[in-house]
Amino acid sequence: MQIITRQVEGRPLTVIIEYPEYNDAAAGLIKRIKGLDVSFSTNAEGKQIKIELPDIYYFENVERKLFIYTEKEVFRFDSKMTELEELTKDTPLVRVSRTCIMNTDHLKEIRQVRNSHLEALLDNGEMLIVSRKYLKDIKNVFGRR
């Protein structure tokens, strides 16, 4: 694989993928790049804010309200978990419990704690409880990389 980069003033970020034949590797790379272009809009203090996928650590549903957690801020997001899952297919976001969807790009480690529970440690120091029911989904995300 050859990677060529160049800065072009006044133009948006553009990715060109050339391949000798369309195969699983090319398809996986295209899906991964498309997944990086996902963003979410929300209102905060009367302003419309756009939050890019790389800035999101996780989504959490608390008392039927959905929140976006970034490294240092929390935003209310008007959506449902099922809608969010549909929007984020082929992205590094994966459901880790009934109430939480995590960005695996910020996952530092998963460890087993007492009583056979699992915890996900994120690179900002946050810890999330991982349900065994969703462990397979996490492994699938890593398999796509």
Side-chain angles (χ1 to χ4, degrees), residues 21-82:
E21 81 177 66
Y22 189 79
N23 56 24
D24 289 343
L29 181 60
I30 292 166
K31 282 183 180 181
R32 181 84 171 133
I33 290 170
K34 283 182 179 179
L36 293 174
D37 196 31
V38 174
S39 65
F40 300 90
S41 293
T42 188
N43 288 316
E45 300 175 12
K47 298 177 190 172
Q48 189 76 7
I49 296 176
K50 183 177 177 182
I51 305 169
E52 303 290 335
L53 182 62
D55 297 328
I56 296 171
Y57 279 69
Y58 62 97
F59 291 84
E60 186 174 33
N61 194 338
V62 179
E63 296 178 5
R64 297 186 182 195
K65 294 181 179 109
L66 193 58
F67 295 92
I68 298 173
Y69 291 78
T70 63
E71 185 175 15
K72 297 179 181 172
E73 296 179 280
V74 179
F75 301 93
R76 173 91 160 77
F77 184 60
D78 291 322
S79 185
K80 295 181 179 166
M81 291 290 271
T82 52

Side-chain angles (χ1 to χ4, degrees), residues 68-124:
I68 298 173
Y69 291 78
T70 63
E71 185 175 15
K72 297 179 181 172
E73 296 179 280
V74 179
F75 301 93
R76 173 91 160 77
F77 184 60
D78 291 322
S79 185
K80 295 181 179 166
M81 291 290 271
T82 52
E83 294 169 353
L84 181 60
E85 275 186 305
E86 191 62 34
L87 287 171
T88 58
K89 282 186 179 175
D90 300 318
T91 70
L93 294 176
V94 64
R95 195 163 194 161
V96 295
S97 70
R98 186 178 56 77
T99 61
C100 187
I101 295 175
M102 173 183 68
N103 186 342
T104 57
D105 284 347
H106 293 292
L107 179 62
K108 190 172 181 181
E109 66 183 59
I110 293 181
R111 57 184 171 207
Q112 187 170 352
V113 293
R114 62 187 181 318
N115 299 332
S116 299
H117 287 97
L118 298 171
E119 285 182 341
L121 176 63
L122 304 180
D123 57 26
N124 68 346

